[in-house]
Each structure stands twice: as C-alpha cells, then as structure tokens.
Amino acid sequence: MKLAPSILSADFTRLGEQVRRAEAAGADYIHIDVMDGRFVPNLTVGPLVVEAVRRSTSLPVDVHLMIEEPARYVQDFVSAGASILTVHQEACRHLQATLGDIRSRGSRAGVSLCPATPVHVLEEITDDIDLVLIMTVNPGFGGQTLIPASEEKVRRTQAFLTAAGCTAELEVDGGVNEATAAGLIASGADVLVAGSAVFSGDEIERNLDRLRRAVSVAAR
Ligand code: DX5
Ligand code: ZN
C-alpha cells in the first residue's frame, strides 16, 4: 500500500517543512489538490505551488486537477513538476486525447471519477491510463466523511481493471482515516490519499504511522 498525504490540510506558512516531514515519515507520494471554483466550489493552488512542492521533495508529486477544461493546463502542470497528472472524466471532453497529451509530455496520466460516475466510463481508455482515482467523497473540501458505498465501488473498479488487463494504480481520495483505511485497502486500493488524517494536530509522523498500523493490523 502507498500513502499520499494531501497538502490541502497542511500548514501553508511552512509548506516545505511539512512536505519534508511527510517524506521522512515514509509518505509515498505528495498529493496536491488543484481547484478552480467552477468544477468544484473551492479555490486552492496552481502550478506555482506545485513547483514549490517539487523543489521540497524527491517523492513523486501527485497532482489532482479538479478544474474545468483541464486540457488547457496540462503543459503548465507538467512543467511545474507533476509526476502524476490526474484529470476528472466529468471535466474533460476529449479525455483520451488529454491522457495521451499528459503522457507525451512526460508525466503519468491519471483519470478521476466522482462518486456518481460509473466505473464503466473507463472501458475505452484502459490503455491510456497509469492511475485511476476514485473519489470517496464529493470533491471540493478536505475533512469530509467517506461515502459508505465507496468500498464496493473500489472493489468493482479493481475487478474491472484486472479483467481488462490494465495495470493502472488504484488510488482513493476523501475521508481516509484510521477507521476507513483498512477496508479500502482490503477492497483493492493501492494508494490512499489522506489530508486531515495526516496533517491534523501537527503530528505528521505519528499520524502516518497510525494509518499504516491500522491497515496492517486489519490485514492479520
Ligand atoms: C477532496 C480532495 C482530497 C482531500 C482529502 O476534494 O481531493 O484530496 O484533500 O481530504 P481528507 O483526507 O481530509 O478527506
Ligand atoms: Zn485529491
């Protein structure tokens, strides 16, 4: 299992330090949530912050675009240092072309699905993706509660990818904490994104440890 702390819940007055602590504590990716105030109501950060995170860590930088018409910004985010660039299926008219563009510019291509979007929309793009991001809350804000149907959707997504012979990583995002992590991994998730569960209380090291322990205890 991989853990991807989302900086959405980090202390932005000392972002570099928080990212370095997450890396030292064993994080696998650094997840950055980009929101445009249109695809989702919230507004967050752009390529400048991706570039700052890129310079703060040697980990893969995992950029989640919750923006309309993401194709317009692929070059900007790849240049800023996104190792993985994920677009929303719901926001992207020519999804297959956009995924190809991300790969040809040198990043790994991800596609994300909102809770109401069925898994079968992935059917025609299994050759074009390196990562699938299943939203386990409605995107827009950190600190929400996992939607109960999520585990079942993760299970169906993993079964779909396996049947298609697709080796894309399966990442889940939203409401991941000590209580929900093990069930998501048991359902087939490869990567857990966690914001509030990692950065709350300025206890990054202990929080990451707790998440890992919750999963390994349940696996026994
Ligand atoms: C939600 C974002 C998430 C968010 C997760 O729209 O995509 O990455 O930071 O936050 P938590 O882990 O607090 O639910
Ligand atoms: Zn995210």
Side-chain angles (χ1 to χ4, degrees):
M1 121 163 126
K2 291 180 181 168
L3 286 175
S6 161
I7 63 159
L8 190 59
S9 298
D11 178 351
F12 275 73
T13 65
R14 43 193 179 129
L15 184 56
E17 177 200 319
Q18 300 238 307
V19 166
R20 285 188 288 275
R21 279 175 61 189
E23 176 168 8
D28 298 281
Y29 298 157
I30 300 296
H31 186 85
I32 304 180
D33 289 303
V34 177
M35 307 188 188
D36 67 350
R38 289 183 62 217
F39 181 70
V40 292
N42 204 1
L43 270 170
T44 58
V45 302
L48 263 178
V49 171
V50 172
E51 203 194 307
V53 170
R54 172 72 290 159
R55 284 188 276 116
S56 306
T57 182
S58 56
L59 293 176
V61 176
D62 172 28
V63 178
H64 177 194
L65 297 183
M66 284 160 277
I67 66 176
E68 295 287 357
E69 297 184 63
R72 295 170 56 206
Y73 292 98
V74 166
Q75 179 57 57
D76 289 348
F77 283 100
V78 171
S79 301
S83 321
I84 305 166
L85 189 58
T86 297
V87 298
H88 265 268
Q89 185 271 344
E90 305 85 356
C92 205
R93 189 162 295 163
H94 301 292
L95 181 58
Q96 197 268 349
T98 301
L99 295 166
D101 189 35
I102 294 170
R103 278 182 168 176
S104 73
R105 292 178 193 277
S107 296
R108 293 167 66 196
V111 64
S112 183
L113 307 185
C114 286
T117 304
V119 177
H120 70 72
V121 300
L122 301 173
E123 220 163 84
E124 306 299 333
I125 52 164
T126 51
D127 290 340
D128 305 296
I129 49 178
D130 302 300
L131 178 139
V132 174
L133 174 54
I134 295 294
M135 290 307 303
T136 45
V137 299
N138 282 293
F141 300 92
Q144 303 184 74
T145 304
L146 185 102
I147 294 172
S150 296
E151 270 191 22
E152 181 48 33
K153 186 173 186 182
V154 171
R155 198 168 290 130
R156 278 185 285 111
T157 308
Q158 189 54 265
F160 170 88
L161 294 174
T162 305
C166 178
T167 55
E169 279 190 318
L170 178 48
E171 184 175 52
V172 297
D173 188 0
V176 172
N177 56 36
E178 270 183 276
T180 58
L184 291 163
I185 292 293
S187 303
D190 303 308
V191 188
L192 302 179
V193 176
S196 45
V198 170
F199 289 100
S200 70
D202 199 25
E203 296 198 320
I204 299 169
E205 298 77 9
R206 195 185 297 182
N207 290 341
L208 276 168
D209 198 51
R210 280 187 188 138
L211 276 175
R212 282 200 193 280
R213 211 157 331 151
V215 173
S216 66
V217 165
R220 274 188 217 142

